[in-house]
Amino acid sequence: MNDEPAAARRLGRRDFLMATAGASLLGAGEVRAQQPGPWAIAPKSKVDTVNFVVWTYGDIYTKISAKFQADWGVPVQSTISSFNDHPAKLMTMYAGSETIDVSQSSPFSFPNFISQGLVEPLDDLPGAKDYLADFTGSCKQVAVYDGKLMGLPYFSTVWVWNYYTDLMEKAKFEPFTTYDELLEQLRKAKKDKIADYPIFWVAGVGLEQLPGTWYQMTWNRGGVFFDKDGNHQLGPGSIARETLKWWIQTFKEELADPESLKAQFTASAKAFGAGKNVYRGPNHHYGLNVANDPAQSPNAGKIKVLGSPGDGKTIGDTHVYFLCTANRDKEWAWKLLQYLGGKTKDGQYTQAIALARDAMLGSGYNSVMNSAAVTEGWKPWGDPVEILKIWDKATYVAEVVPSIYKPWHFPWSDRINIEVSKALTGQTTADACCDTLIAAIKEVQKG
Amino acid sequence: LTARALAAAKPYRFSRELSPHALGVAMNIPTLVTLALVIAYPIYYAAYLSFHKVSLAELRRGIFPFVGLANYTRIFNDSLFLLALKNTLIFTAFSVTLELVLAIAIALLIDQTSVWTGRITKFLILVPYAVPPIAGGLIWSFIYSFEYGFLNRILFTTGLSATAVNWTGHPATALFAVAVPYIWRTLPFAILLVHAALQGINQELYEAASVDGAGAMQRFWHITLPLLRPIIVVILVLRTSFAFAVFDEVLAITQGGPGDATWVAAWYSYKRGFSPPFDIGVGAASAYVLALIVGMFAIAYVGLIYRRIR
């Protein structure tokens, strides 16, 4: 992501690809460990079991648990809930004095978990510095808190736009390059009955769904939500406020699919795959692995990725695994944490590579992002070159909304969901919405 | 001889017989202990939490700093809590009224022994009660779906609506869209109560009224309804209590949205207590306010209706 000059990053990736091309002569297109590292050394202590508390994602945890047990002879117990239920599940287990070796967090709740004392720093653990050296900029911004390494990456993503080629051809549209052009195209598509609702937004209630869409478009237009000194940027005439006014217009004119307001990322990808909308608003890049999956979408292969207007600035983030302070044995918990967010016994980023190849997820490790797991692994669903171009223009979302680093961001995010939903459904105006959110900042800071 | 012997024989008595009062107390002790453990202690503990700062770290440590009325001050200064209370009142008034009317109407219908389908209906009526609330909520989500839902399809094909209605996504309809599945789920219980009460009404009263020339409506107003009053009180108390605590349908269908249109009191308590920053003290305070309101309603119902009966 946008933590270093783009040219340098591109060069870095190219260099790395050349290096891995050499490695492929050995029969591997990915990064391989050259020598045994700390990840291959067994902990001195003994445990009967280890456990993790995570939110669900396919069968990745079954596989990695089996690998852990095969490698170390220690069974892994898992507590898996839905993404939305995860914080409550983790909280009740922690508060109930249950043992939790490893858990995970979105970047939005991570500062809160840290402030509640759930997260164990990793700096002094064997191999931690190697991981840190391989982190992407975005990953560092999430996983390093107050100068301490607090987690290992689960996955990284950037926000991209999508369009449906059949309807674009039918409407004779070229992908939009400005917001005005987008609005005109949406109006024309509706008028010409190309689509009842030409655009589908990811505007369901969540930490990064509805708020993320607003964050992304505001950032792309050159705005932020707080400046470096922590002052809000939501006042009259602010870019965030104007962006919201523009966004509301798409609902007011019934250009936006009403189902947008319930859509989470995967649900919106499935809905967009049905082929009823021309565009899909900013969303996690990996939604393509649903929308372009023949098993899940009747229009697989016809959903294309599109960068943002203007200079193409977008946002991205990284979700993390962390070692819980309620662990049974720090050494073993660290071992398990590495299986989920780092290297397995063979020195491979097994989980990160599998997530890239099977689920199109990005990684918090430069070496994985530059490997064939991404450059080849993403090809069944989208154009990796195009997506990586967008990736280079992405900034960690907390640069746009620095309150993410604060424990009060979570309750404030609740207010964003409520007030922006009200604005989008015509219950209030953009001005009233922003004024309420400004007032809510002080309220949640007190909490 | 046997009868005489039995009459002469002293009944068997324990060497130290308990007085009726003491026996009554002894027999009630297990129930009291159970109730104290499963009801009174949580109520006391919730009250205790509501006066303390309780979040994740405090729970783990087991040390809760006393904050006095701070949690209560916070919720009463929170416009969202006041809105959640307002939404809860609207939801309760709508759902309890409709449920009571429907329960009486349906119970009267299935009470008609001359209608053979009544037996099947009695069974079918119980089906929603057996559906888990979350599952029921999800079923209704599909029914309400803007594009693919059965409800819009039926309205469109019957010509009742030319355009699809966003039942759960529009602030004007969302709360009622949550109330309908709730009523659907809980109505069977109310029907059963009314139906059972109807069985206890002496048929001779109706026969006498008919002889005196009373019509169906007169018999209903002057015999059935007055005799149903005790059960109506029970239904009002129970259904109001449960309606005030509605949660499952909100979770499954709207999650409080759109905006804050379906934020109800229990949802507020849940969000405050079980999502970061886990203000369990605030959640407990809001739940306590809710409990007090329900308690006041229950006392008012009982007082009002029993006064009328007397």
Side-chain angles (χ1 to χ4, degrees):
Chain A
M1 275 179 231
N2 199 9
D3 51 290
E4 55 184 314
R9 271 194 320 281
R10 277 195 293 275
L11 190 64
R13 186 180 303 122
R14 225 173 277 134
D15 286 346
F16 193 87
L17 285 174
M18 286 170 71
T20 50
S24 69
L25 292 173
L26 300 172
E30 289 146 7
V31 189
R32 284 198 181 276
Q34 299 303 310
Q35 56 189 27
W39 43 83
I41 301 164
K44 288 172 193 158
S45 53
K46 284 190 177 173
V47 290
D48 295 330
T49 183
V50 284
N51 77 330
F52 56 74
V53 181
V54 294
W55 66 78
T56 182
Y57 197 93
D59 62 349
I60 61 170
Y61 295 111
T62 314
K63 287 179 184 169
I64 204 72
S65 298
K67 184 166 177 57
F68 187 91
Q69 184 166 6
D71 287 350
W72 303 102
V74 176
V76 180
Q77 292 180 350
S78 58
T79 303
I80 302 174
S81 48
S82 70
F83 176 76
N84 285 336
D85 292 338
H86 173 72
K89 183 73 189 171
L90 178 63
M91 187 276 285
T92 46
M93 287 182 71
Y94 181 76
S97 297
E98 287 192 46
T99 299
I100 306 163
D101 290 315
V102 174
S103 189
Q104 70 183 149
S105 174
S106 83
F108 301 89
S109 35
F110 201 42
N112 198 284
F113 288 158
I114 293 170
S115 72
Q116 301 268 7
L118 254 89
V119 187
E120 185 94 52
L122 307 172
D123 300 274
D124 300 331
L125 293 165
K129 286 187 175 58
D130 296 332
Y131 289 124
L132 189 57
D134 196 16
F135 276 5
T136 61
S138 162
C139 180
K140 263 182 211 159
Q141 285 174 294
V142 179
V144 179
Y145 192 85
D146 277 347
K148 290 179 186 170
L149 176 62
M150 303 302 278
L152 296 183
Y154 166 29
F155 75 88
S156 296
T157 185
V158 294
W159 268 252
V160 301
W161 291 74
N162 296 140
Y163 61 89
Y164 173 41
T165 51
D166 277 6
L167 291 187
M168 289 288 280
E169 283 164 20
K170 199 174 166 190
K172 298 187 173 57
F173 288 163
E174 286 299 317
F176 69 92
T177 52
T178 66
Y179 288 98
D180 287 342
E181 188 185 356
L182 171 59
L183 203 54
E184 287 313 309
Q185 285 189 356
L186 299 179
R187 284 172 179 151
K188 188 169 187 308
K190 185 161 183 92
K191 192 179 158 206
D192 296 348
K193 299 194 182 306
I194 302 293
D196 289 336
Y197 302 101
I199 190 160
F200 198 105
W201 298 105
V202 180
V205 167
L207 283 164
E208 46 183 331
Q209 287 83 358
L210 178 145
T213 300
W214 191 23
Y215 301 156
Q216 198 278 347
M217 289 196 292
T218 299
W219 174 245
N220 177 250
R221 288 160 176 249
V224 291
F225 282 70
F226 294 89
D227 65 16
K228 300 280 179 200
D229 298 323
N231 302 309
H232 74 77
Q233 301 295 304
L234 291 165
S238 63
I239 294 173
R241 196 176 282 221
E242 294 307 309
T243 301
L244 183 56
K245 283 179 187 169
W246 181 91
W247 192 16
I248 289 168
Q249 198 61 27
T250 64
F251 282 88
K252 210 171 181 178
E253 295 184 30
E254 297 188 344
L255 305 170
D257 196 313
E259 293 287 300
S260 303
L261 291 161
K262 291 178 210 151
Q264 308 289 314
F265 290 112
T266 304
S268 77
K270 284 184 179 169
F272 192 65
K276 293 195 167 189
N277 316 100
V278 183
Y279 286 109
R280 179 172 172 234
N283 62 86
H284 286 177
H285 76 278
Y286 57 82
L288 287 172
N289 99 320
V290 172
N292 278 334
D293 175 9
Q296 300 184 69
S297 167
N299 294 297
K302 295 175 180 175
I303 311 300
K304 300 295 177 192
V305 71
L306 177 64
S308 295
D311 57 10
K313 284 199 304 186
T314 189
I315 55 171
D317 68 28
T318 298
H319 293 237
V320 290
Y321 293 107
F322 63 87
L323 201 158
C324 190
T325 49
N327 67 77
R328 81 197 63 219
D329 181 285
K330 199 169 170 182
E331 280 186 74
W332 277 104
W334 171 234
K335 187 63 67 188
L336 179 62
L337 174 61
Q338 292 177 82
Y339 267 62
L340 297 177
K343 292 179 179 176
T344 45
K345 192 177 185 180
D346 53 8
Q348 292 269 17
Y349 286 118
T350 304
Q351 179 89 321
I353 288 166
L355 289 172
R357 287 209 153 143
D358 300 343
M360 209 188 171
L361 295 178
S363 173
Y365 292 108
N366 283 313
S367 55
V368 178
M369 280 308 294
N370 291 318
S371 74
V374 168
T375 55
E376 295 299 317
W378 286 3
K379 278 185 178 170
W381 308 290
D383 179 358
V385 175
E386 189 66 28
I387 299 167
L388 290 172
K389 270 186 204 167
I390 298 170
W391 205 279
D392 283 342
K393 293 175 181 172
T395 297
Y396 175 45
V397 62
E399 296 293 300
V400 183
V401 196
S403 57
I404 287 170
Y405 291 120
K406 307 288 182 190
W408 54 264
H409 176 78
F410 206 108
W412 192 59
S413 191
D414 265 350
R415 296 308 292 261
I416 293 179
N417 277 301
I418 291 170
E419 298 305 326
V420 175
S421 293
K422 283 166 75 176
L424 295 177
T425 51
Q427 297 175 71
T428 185
T429 63
D431 287 323
C433 167
C434 290
D435 290 342
T436 308
L437 289 176
I438 291 167
I441 294 169
K442 280 184 186 166
E443 207 178 292
V444 294
Q445 281 174 337
K446 270 190 252 167
Chain B
L1 180 70
T2 310
R4 270 205 304 273
L6 280 173
K10 284 184 181 176
Y12 177 79
R13 299 172 82 90
F14 289 107
S15 55
R16 285 196 300 166
E17 188 180 84
L18 290 171
S19 69
H21 176 73
L23 182 65
V25 171
M27 297 294 278
N28 274 290
I29 281 174
T31 310
L32 284 171
V33 170
T34 308
L35 286 176
L37 283 174
V38 301
I39 297 177
Y41 178 71
I43 289 174
Y44 156 76
Y45 193 60
Y48 173 80
L49 292 178
S50 73
F51 293 106
H52 292 78
K53 181 183 185 319
V54 188
S55 65
L56 206 50
E58 284 83 19
L59 274 172
R60 183 80 183 180
R61 286 198 297 267
I63 300 165
F64 310 138
F66 180 71
V67 293
L69 291 171
N71 290 332
Y72 288 93
T73 310
R74 268 186 69 185
I75 59 169
F76 282 114
N77 286 327
D78 185 352
S79 57
L80 197 53
F81 177 69
L82 300 177
L83 178 79
L85 275 186
K86 184 184 141 199
N87 285 343
T88 309
L89 282 170
I90 295 170
F91 177 90
T92 305
F94 176 74
S95 61
V96 173
T97 307
L98 193 58
E99 195 170 329
L100 189 60
V101 171
L102 287 174
I104 294 171
I106 294 171
L108 285 170
L109 282 175
I110 61 173
D111 198 42
Q112 302 301 312
T113 47
S114 55
V115 183
W116 69 270
T117 49
R119 288 178 197 166
I120 301 167
T121 314
K122 276 176 203 169
F123 167 72
L124 288 177
I125 260 168
L126 289 172
V127 173
Y129 203 56
V131 177
I134 293 292
L138 292 174
I139 291 167
W140 278 90
S141 289
F142 298 135
I143 292 172
Y144 285 137
S145 172
F146 177 71
E147 269 188 286
Y148 307 106
F150 291 123
L151 184 56
N152 278 333
R153 178 61 61 88
I154 289 167
L155 292 175
F156 185 77
T157 49
T158 54
L160 291 171
S161 176
T163 54
V165 180
N166 195 1
W167 297 102
T168 57
H170 196 283
T173 52
L175 192 62
F176 300 102
V178 172
V180 170
Y182 174 82
I183 295 168
W184 174 81
R185 175 168 66 86
T186 56
L187 184 61
F189 179 72
I191 295 171
L192 281 182
L193 289 182
V194 178
H195 183 62
L198 286 173
Q199 309 310 304
I201 298 176
N202 191 340
Q203 292 302 305
E204 288 174 3
L205 292 172
Y206 293 112
E207 287 163 13
S210 296
V211 169
D212 289 343
M217 283 306 288
Q218 284 173 308
R219 290 199 299 271
F220 174 75
W221 282 113
H222 297 291
I223 299 172
T224 310
L225 205 53
L227 291 172
L228 283 180
R229 269 186 189 149
I231 203 67
I232 288 173
V233 175
V234 172
I235 291 170
L236 282 174
V237 171
L238 290 177
R239 295 282 29 116
T240 302
S241 313
F242 286 106
F244 259 97
V246 62
F247 176 80
D248 307 272
E249 280 78 9
V250 175
L251 176 71
I253 300 172
T254 61
Q255 306 234 322
D260 49 16
T262 56
W263 269 68
V264 289
W267 180 251
Y268 179 92
S269 301
Y270 168 76
K271 290 293 281 183
R272 287 291 169 267
F274 291 93
S275 64
F278 305 110
D279 276 327
I280 290 170
V282 174
S286 62
Y288 232 80
V289 170
L290 189 65
L292 288 176
I293 295 172
V294 173
M296 285 191 292
F297 266 99
I299 292 166
Y301 281 147
V302 174
L304 184 74
I305 296 190
Y306 275 98
R307 193 163 63 232
R308 282 193 174 186
I309 290 171
R310 281 197 296 271

